[in-house]
Amino acid sequence: MRESFLNEQRLPLVIEPANGKNTKSDLLDWMQQNRGAMMHKFYETGALLFRGFEIDKPQDFEGVVLQTAPQVEEGYYGTSPRNVVPGTKYVYTASELPGYYPIMQHCEMSYVKHPPVILFFYCHVEPEYGGETPLCNFRKVYRDIDPSVREDFEKKGIITVRNYSGLGKSSPLNLFELKKWNEIFLTTDKAEVERQCREQEIEYEWLNNGGLRLVHRTPVAIDHPKTKEKTWFNHLQVFHPAAAAFEYDYIHAHQHRAKTFFWSLFLKTLVKIKSAT
C-alpha cells in the first residue's frame, strides 16, 4: 500500500493500492494482516482515507467497517435525519437534510454517555459539485484555544438543552428542528424513551404540548481514549440558533457562488426572525 497526506495538516493519512491490488478482498486481507499498525496510524493522525479500491456498493462498505470494528453499533441519537441504507444494518445515509443545509464541525454524539470512538464515511455517488466532508483534529483545537477561555469552560462544563416536538416527521423547511423525539429514539413509547434516557444519563422533561426536552450535562473536553491527550469534545457551537448562518459565511468565503451568498443572507434573516419571537 502507498501512504501519503493530502496537505501540511497531515489529516487524513491516504492509503492507496499498490501493484494493482485494489479489490475489496485485497483491502480486507491487508486490513487483517496489518490491523495493529493500521489502528496505530489511525489514532496517531485522527483519520484514514482509503482511496482507489473497488468498494462499489454499501454492502461492500459495511464489510470493510465490520473488518475494522467488529463491535460497531447501529444506535444513533443524533439530531440530523438519516435513514438506514436498504440491504445493510449499520450503514446510514449521511443526512436527509436539503443539500443547502450546512452541518458545522462537531464531535459525533458528544452529549451521550458512550459516544462513538470511530466513524466511517463512504461516497457512493460522486457529487456534481462540492460534497466536502471537512475533517478536524480536536486535539489541536484544544491546544489552540485561548487558555483563559478554555479554563473557564473546563470549570463550568456545558449544559446542552434540546427541545423536540412529536409525533411524526419533521419538515425539512424548519431549520430549527431537524427531528421529532420519536425519530430520535425510534419509538413512540414514552416509557422506552425514558429508559433510554436513563441509560444514556440524559435528563428529560415531557412538555405540555407533547414535546420532549433533553438536557445533557457534559465536560467541554475529554481525554482521548487511546493517546490520553486532552481533546475538545462537545457540541458547543452546533446547537446555537445562529450556527447555520455563521457556517454559510465560511462556505461562501470558500466557494464565492451566488447560491452560497443567497443562503447566507437567507439564514441570517431567519435567525433574526427566530430571535425576535
Side-chain angles (χ1 to χ4, degrees):
M1 298 292 177
R2 294 192 301 270
E3 298 181 1
S4 62
F5 290 101
L6 290 180
N7 50 47
E8 66 277 3
Q9 295 292 330
R10 300 177 67 83
L11 182 73
L13 172 64
V14 181
I15 299 176
E16 299 176 280
N19 303 321
K21 294 187 175 182
N22 65 342
T23 68
K24 174 186 172 183
S25 296
D26 291 328
L27 178 57
L28 292 179
D29 289 344
W30 181 87
M31 284 181 155
Q32 186 174 20
Q33 296 169 15
N34 298 274
R35 177 174 175 77
M38 178 184 72
M39 296 309 295
H40 174 76
K41 292 173 182 177
F42 166 68
Y43 290 122
E44 181 181 47
T45 62
L48 302 180
L49 171 59
F50 291 93
R51 173 175 284 175
F53 296 93
E54 294 178 353
I55 308 300
D56 299 324
K57 52 186 183 292
Q59 291 80 2
D60 292 338
F61 171 61
E62 187 171 58
V64 173
V65 169
L66 292 172
Q67 176 81 0
T68 309
Q71 74 281 11
V72 67
E73 298 180 5
E74 73 269 28
Y76 174 62
Y77 289 100
T79 301
S80 181
R82 293 171 174 166
N83 297 327
V84 177
V85 175
T88 71
K89 181 179 179 181
Y90 301 103
V91 181
Y92 284 75
T93 56
S95 178
E96 293 301 312
L97 291 171
Y100 58 77
Y101 196 99
I103 300 176
M104 297 189 78
Q105 197 69 258
H106 63 282
C107 301
E108 189 66 37
M109 292 194 288
S110 66
Y111 40 78
V112 300
K113 183 178 180 181
H114 299 295
V117 176
I118 304 175
L119 299 176
F120 298 86
F121 296 89
Y122 160 69
C123 180
H124 184 59
V125 179
E126 183 178 356
E128 294 181 2
Y129 182 89
E132 297 97 335
T133 300
L135 298 176
C136 178
N137 185 340
F138 280 97
R139 289 170 279 184
K140 186 175 186 298
V141 170
Y142 180 88
R143 295 193 297 268
D144 289 349
I145 291 177
D146 185 303
S148 62
V149 174
R150 193 175 62 204
E151 181 180 350
D152 202 28
F153 272 111
E154 289 187 310
K155 183 188 303 180
K156 297 177 181 179
I158 293 178
I159 298 177
T160 303
V161 180
R162 299 191 289 164
N163 293 292
Y164 296 98
S165 59
L167 302 167
K169 289 283 187 180
S170 297
S171 169
L173 298 179
N174 186 348
L175 298 177
F176 297 97
E177 180 185 55
L178 307 184
K179 279 185 175 181
K180 297 182 182 294
W181 62 258
N182 61 294
E183 296 171 321
I184 292 177
F185 294 96
L186 301 180
T187 180
T188 58
D189 184 347
K190 290 186 176 181
E192 172 60 18
V193 171
E194 293 173 4
R195 185 196 68 78
Q196 293 186 40
C197 285
R198 288 191 295 269
E199 182 181 82
Q200 294 293 332
E201 298 182 357
I202 303 171
E203 299 173 29
Y204 60 89
E205 176 187 357
W206 294 106
L207 306 178
N208 292 333
N209 62 2
L212 175 65
R213 176 172 296 145
L214 304 177
V215 179
H216 311 267
R217 301 177 188 272
T218 58
V220 72
I222 63 171
D223 292 337
H224 188 281
K226 294 296 181 179
T227 69
K228 305 306 178 185
E229 297 169 272
K230 277 291 185 181
T231 305
W232 191 253
F233 193 80
N234 56 74
H235 269 66
L236 182 63
Q237 85 283 14
V238 178
F239 292 134
H240 193 284
F246 274 112
E247 188 71 1
Y248 248 102
D249 280 344
Y250 288 107
I251 294 174
H252 179 62
H254 175 60
Q255 298 185 0
H256 299 291
R257 295 194 296 160
K259 182 182 291 187
T260 57
F261 177 70
F262 165 78
W263 283 114
S264 178
L265 290 179
F266 176 72
L267 289 168
K268 287 177 182 176
T269 302
L270 280 184
V271 170
K272 289 182 179 179
I273 294 174
K274 182 68 175 179
S275 301
T277 58

